[in-house]
Amino acid sequence: MNSDKSLARGLLASAATSATSHSAEPESFLARRTAAESYEVAPVPLDELPGWELSDRLVHASGRFFTVEGLSIQTNFGSATKWHQPIIVQPEIGILGILAKQIDGIYHFLMQSKMEPGNSNFVQLAATVQATPSNYQRVHGGRPTPYLEYFLNHAKRQVLVDRLLSEHASWYLRKRNRNMIVEVPPEEEIPLREDYAWFTLWQIRQQLTRGHRVNMNARTVLSCISYTEPVRRAGETGFEFAAIQSHGLRRSEREVAEVMTWLIDQKAAYYLDARRTSLRNLDEWVCDSAGIRHRDARYFQIKGFSISATSREVGTWSQPMLEPVPGNVVAFICQRRSGVLEFLVQAIVQPGAIDTIELAATIQLAPGSLRDSECIPLVEYLDSPEAWIRLDAMQSEDGGRFYKADTRHVVIEVPEGDPVEAPANYRWVSLGLLNRLMSAGYYLNVEARSLLSCLL
């Protein structure tokens, strides 16, 4: 079994290793797998989706997978206190799992090339296993899920990460997934399928910074990786080194308790009343064969699609997907404060949240949801000088449920000492503290975790 120190050193070594004789080259691997398969995604009227029924809700004939239902919301957070919307209901807890293995002393991670119908470029790197119980119990009648046994029967292996974490709480109702990283012993042989390859953390991060190459479900697992031991190098001042130091910073129990008290104060100050209702009862929404959409073309719409893919467990299927109004942005403002790189997070309410409040990135902007004269705090930092920008990449959201849902991921480092004025529901935290909060439950939303993954 690895100690925390040896694990941290091993992860850092993987993050610093550009390639090995055992790892694939990500760009050529994705290009090769994309060329080897064929895909087609075509729109279909909702009332003509095979196997789906549209009435008070949109439901699959099996009663499994997921439903689209109406939601009535009341809250005292933000400028809108009452509204209706459709929402995806998927109570199953899926497995998002990545296999890790030390090969010649370097941690490698087994990733698959996965086609998802909603992705802008279809094929991206995904976790070793990405499946709901409906998928791996083969309700769809498809092929078995490769490598599933490593995550269902992991008792004799080291589990590096195992966390129940939330999904998009603006579009899902109280959705959770089990995020796992399971290490297999160096001597254990893992049969390698053609859609799978080993990569170092350095290789994965390079794909993250380029955008549209690592899918959302893999990003939420990767965000759980923490370099728990601080690294000391004389004279080192770069951003990546500062981020690693922020990961490894050990806060006192008093500091942790202070943040938890602040967060509980936020939960006590705001309420969320979200009740399921009929799709036919949604004010300002139209529900017909063309889709479920807002009368003013705002927010998002639910559309039907027919899909074929030679690389999936099922070759052809039909399903609804959520298509948001484009232009979403998620951004962290960070700053070196008393020598530590800290990130400004906010406590926000989203309609599908499991526990009312979660922490989000500094800026979580959805232009399609903005109301007249509504002002997003700190949004002016998106126009920061180029010298302050540490990351700017487009990423796809969950391409299995969301269609062309692309979010710009930005990290902005404000010069040390520059004042940043933020409302009371904002707070500065280190990456180490964020990781500790993630390990404790539903404290950090998926948009912020996606952005954190890019700081591997």
Side-chain angles (χ1 to χ4, degrees):
M1 300 290 284
N2 284 321
S3 69
D4 287 346
K5 288 185 177 181
S6 63
L7 175 60
R9 286 193 293 267
L11 293 173
L12 280 169
S14 182
T17 302
S18 59
T20 72
S21 59
H22 304 280
S23 66
E25 199 289 311
E27 295 281 356
S28 60
F29 171 73
L30 285 173
R32 184 171 65 254
R33 297 314 312 156
T34 300
E37 310 292 348
S38 61
Y39 319 100
E40 184 177 352
V41 178
V44 175
L46 279 186
D47 58 0
E48 296 180 17
L49 272 183
W52 291 83
E53 179 184 346
L54 177 61
S55 56
D56 288 338
R57 59 178 186 158
L58 183 58
V59 59
H60 192 264
S62 68
R64 300 289 295 272
F65 302 109
F66 62 94
T67 60
V68 179
E69 304 183 25
L71 199 67
S72 174
I73 302 106
Q74 293 189 50
T75 181
N76 62 341
F77 181 90
S79 59
T81 60
K82 186 177 181 180
W83 73 93
H84 293 91
Q85 68 169 79
I87 201 156
I88 300 172
V89 180
Q90 187 174 353
E92 295 181 326
I93 297 175
I95 293 177
L96 307 177
I98 297 177
L99 282 183
K101 182 180 181 180
Q102 292 190 67
I103 306 175
D104 291 341
I106 299 294
Y107 271 104
H108 291 65
F109 297 81
L110 187 62
M111 309 293 284
Q112 65 169 305
S113 63
K114 190 174 185 67
M115 177 274 184
E116 293 183 296
N119 286 349
S120 293
N121 58 344
F122 282 147
V123 180
Q124 298 184 9
L125 295 179
T128 317
V129 168
Q130 176 184 315
T132 65
S134 290
N135 294 142
Y136 62 73
Q137 291 169 9
R138 302 166 69 185
V139 174
H140 48 44
R143 298 190 293 267
T145 302
Y147 306 106
L148 178 65
E149 65 274 14
Y150 292 92
F151 301 94
L152 293 182
N153 304 304
H154 50 73
K156 296 182 179 180
R157 299 181 176 91
Q158 184 165 9
V159 180
L160 304 183
V161 168
D162 194 358
R163 297 174 183 173
L164 272 181
L165 298 173
S166 61
E167 292 297 316
H168 291 83
S170 291
W171 301 334
Y172 277 123
L173 182 63
R174 306 183 189 103
K175 176 74 169 70
R176 301 175 295 167
N177 275 322
R178 188 175 184 181
N179 291 242
M180 304 180 71
I181 299 179
V182 174
E183 182 179 358
V184 296
E187 66 276 8
E188 183 173 348
E189 290 296 324
I190 307 295
L192 196 62
R193 301 170 65 96
E194 62 181 358
D195 287 341
Y196 293 75
W198 293 102
F199 301 98
T200 67
L201 282 180
W202 188 95
Q203 291 175 304
I204 295 170
R205 183 178 182 276
Q206 292 304 304
Q207 299 307 301
L208 284 164
T209 57
R210 293 170 186 171
H212 285 319
R213 288 172 173 84
V214 181
N215 79 3
M216 187 282 299
N217 289 298
R219 295 197 305 270
T220 182
V221 179
L222 294 167
S223 73
C224 299
I225 292 175
S226 178
Y227 309 112
T228 53
E229 291 295 316
V231 178
R232 295 174 177 83
R233 295 182 194 146
E236 186 86 44
T237 60
F239 176 78
E240 291 185 2
F241 178 76
I244 292 172
Q245 290 287 79
S246 185
H247 263 287
L249 184 66
R250 291 183 173 180
R251 291 297 193 185
S252 69
E253 291 302 318
R254 178 179 176 180
E255 288 174 297
V256 174
E258 286 175 351
V259 171
M260 292 296 293
T261 297
W262 169 80
L263 189 52
I264 293 170
D265 284 343
Q266 302 301 311
K267 292 187 178 186
Y270 300 106
Y271 72 85
L272 172 65
D273 183 359
R275 303 186 184 190
R276 291 153 77 169
T277 187
S278 169
L279 289 171
R280 310 296 183 181
N281 295 337
L282 301 184
D283 293 343
E284 301 184 344
W285 290 81
V286 178
C287 179
D288 58 24
S289 62
I292 305 168
R293 60 201 181 279
H294 191 265
R295 67 184 184 190
D296 297 327
R298 297 173 63 185
Y299 310 112
F300 57 83
Q301 59 181 324
I302 307 292
K303 299 167 64 175
F305 293 89
S306 173
I307 303 148
S308 64
T310 55
S311 62
R312 295 292 295 261
E313 295 89 346
V314 176
T316 61
W317 73 97
S318 299
Q319 68 169 87
M321 285 193 283
L322 183 153
E323 181 180 13
V325 171
N328 288 358
V329 181
V330 60
F332 267 129
I333 292 174
C334 59
Q335 187 178 47
R336 302 181 200 221
R337 299 165 62 85
S338 301
V340 175
L341 184 66
E342 295 191 335
F343 292 73
L344 188 59
V345 297
Q346 59 169 314
I348 67 169
V349 173
Q350 293 174 281
I354 295 169
D355 191 17
T356 305
I357 287 275
E358 282 191 306
L359 296 179
T362 320
I363 302 165
Q364 187 167 308
L365 175 63
S369 300
L370 290 179
R371 292 162 178 84
D372 294 341
S373 74
E374 185 175 5
C375 181
I376 301 295
L378 305 167
V379 72
E380 64 274 11
Y381 280 92
L382 293 178
D383 295 322
S384 293
E386 186 176 348
W388 296 10
I389 307 300
R390 301 292 175 258
L391 172 79
D392 193 343
M394 294 294 292
Q395 307 287 1
S396 301
E397 301 300 342
D398 179 3
R401 297 290 178 266
F402 310 138
Y403 183 73
K404 306 298 184 185
D406 298 333
T407 301
R408 182 185 172 201
H409 285 49
V410 184
V411 176
I412 304 156
E413 184 180 6
V414 176
E416 189 169 5
D418 280 16
V420 179
E421 300 295 332
N425 63 311
Y426 287 68
R427 190 178 181 97
W428 292 98
V429 293
S430 68
L431 292 179
L433 185 50
L434 279 181
N435 192 269
R436 183 161 177 176
L437 289 172
M438 268 198 291
S439 67
Y442 309 110
Y443 288 107
L444 193 64
N445 75 4
V446 72
E447 293 90 343
R449 299 198 311 269
S450 175
L451 189 50
L452 282 180
S453 72
C454 300
L455 299 175
L456 278 174

